[in-house]
Every structure is written in structure tokens, then in C-alpha cells.
Amino acid sequence: MKLYYSPGACSLSPHIILRETGLDFSIIRVNLKDKKTEDGEDFLAINPKGQVPVLLLDNGELLTEGAVIVQYLADQKQDRNLIAPAGTLKRYHQLEALNFISTELHKSFAPLFTPSTPEDYKDIVRANLIKKFQYVDDVLAKRAFFADDNFTVADAYLFTVTNWTKLVGVDISHLKHLSEYCGKIAKRPKVQEALSAEGLI
């Protein structure tokens, strides 16, 4: 398989999960500004959405949308316990967590990464994000991981988007449970591998 990624973007989440599963894969860096891959290919010809991640499967099919890709990958290696079995209530709670991260956290960052967003509106966005991260901190006060008692696909995604707070001036330093959690996730060997491969450490 091939994962199209941009360093530190939301593609870091499936990159981590690929390494956690032990599946065979390679990574292809994408410049999201000029929509070119590191090999000079037109990325829009690969994914007309113009966004990472994209997973090219061995059969030639493409999967897009990070929250879907991580589910697919985790299902390929059920013994790694990265997602609960299909049809179980535990699975739906994990999907609930994935959807929260995708819609309430991930998408909320968009105005902060857009230079044309008025600064007064960015202040409102930051305040709203801090409230949402407070909820995350409250969850992490009660358990070691975000969606279960063990590391799951939701944790790779949450770790990825939480790292963006440093880039856009969202101060969550007072959220001690979240801070400890991110430190713990960052120390996982496969997370270290992914961060190193993307040139982030």
C-alpha cells in the first residue's frame, strides 16, 4: 500500500496506524500548496479533493478520508486491538469518538490555518476549541485513552489534531490530563517512527 501524506497534517493519523498494524506500506509526500507529489505527479489527478490522506491499496483502489482509512487499516489486523469488532457497541463508541475528533476538533482548526480569516474571528475559534479540548481533558481524567481502555484509532487522530494547537496559538497548557496523554502517546515506538519518517522530530 501507499500512503500519500503531508508532514504533520491529518495524514499523520493513518501513518501512525499503518505502523501500529505492521502492514507493509510506503509513504509519498505531497506538497499541498502546489498539489504535486514528491515524484512530480499531479496530486489532483490522484485525489480530485486535493487533500491528504490518500491510501492506494494493492488492488489499485483508493481510499480517502482519514477517519475511514484508519478503520480499514485496523480491520486488516484485528489482533492489534486498534478498533473493536464490527457490530459491537464498543465499536460504535469508538466511531463516535472518531466523528467528534473529525467534526468538532479537526474542522474547527480550518479558519486558523487560513491567512484571510479576520483576527477577531480567530479569537472566537480559539475560545471554542479550548472548550472542546476541555471536554477531551474531562474524558481523559477518567481513563487512559480517549475511546477505550487501550490505544485505538481515535488516539492516533486525537494526538495528531492536538499537536496543531501549538501552530495556531490555542493555549491548552492548563489541561493537564490532555498534556500527560499527548506525552504518553508521543512516546509510543510506532508514533516515534511516524514522526521521524515525516521529519517532525
Side-chain angles (χ1 to χ4, degrees):
M1 292 183 289
K2 292 180 181 178
L3 177 71
Y4 291 85
Y5 80 101
S6 182
C10 54
S11 48
L12 176 60
S13 171
H15 188 179
I16 290 169
I17 296 303
L18 274 162
R19 292 182 184 275
E20 291 278 354
T21 61
L23 292 163
D24 185 35
F25 73 99
S26 59
I27 56 175
I28 300 174
R29 185 171 176 155
V30 177
N31 183 320
L32 292 175
K33 288 184 181 176
D34 66 15
K35 307 298 183 187
K36 297 283 185 185
T37 71
E38 61 185 300
D39 303 324
E41 288 184 89
D42 177 9
F43 183 59
L44 290 174
I46 297 165
N47 182 17
K49 297 175 187 175
Q51 299 169 325
V52 291
V54 175
L55 185 67
L56 175 62
L57 304 180
D58 293 337
N59 66 2
E61 285 196 56
L62 293 174
L63 273 181
T64 63
E65 304 301 328
V68 172
I69 292 172
V70 294
Q71 291 176 62
Y72 171 81
L73 293 171
D75 280 335
Q76 306 311 300
K77 288 282 187 172
Q78 273 290 325
D79 61 308
R80 301 298 170 98
N81 205 24
L82 295 166
I83 197 166
T88 62
L89 192 55
K90 184 179 277 194
R91 170 86 167 220
Y92 294 113
H93 282 306
Q94 292 172 0
L95 298 185
E96 182 180 31
L98 273 180
N99 278 277
F100 172 80
I101 298 164
S102 179
T103 60
E104 299 301 317
L105 296 179
H106 182 168
K107 286 305 174 186
S108 293
F109 277 93
L112 302 178
F113 285 118
T114 305
S116 60
T117 303
E119 200 57 44
D120 57 346
Y121 180 61
K122 285 186 178 181
D123 289 339
I124 295 169
V125 172
R126 290 187 185 102
N128 284 333
L129 269 167
I130 290 169
K131 288 178 185 175
K132 290 170 184 178
F133 277 113
Q134 178 65 63
Y135 163 75
V136 172
D137 192 71
D138 292 344
V139 170
L140 294 172
K142 299 169 187 171
R143 62 180 177 226
F145 297 94
F146 188 54
D148 208 335
D149 295 326
N150 60 280
F151 179 89
T152 69
V153 292
D155 298 298
Y157 198 3
L158 178 58
F159 173 76
T160 296
V161 300
T162 304
N163 280 335
W164 299 344
T165 60
K166 305 165 194 168
L167 305 174
V168 293
V170 176
D171 184 7
I172 55 170
S173 59
H174 60 291
L175 302 178
K176 67 172 188 174
H177 302 293
L178 179 56
S179 178
E180 291 169 2
Y181 164 87
C182 285
K184 176 178 64 181
I185 301 298
K187 290 176 184 174
R188 292 179 68 86
K190 299 304 180 183
V191 173
Q192 287 281 302
E193 285 181 17
L195 292 171
S196 179
E198 295 194 11
L200 299 171
I201 56 172

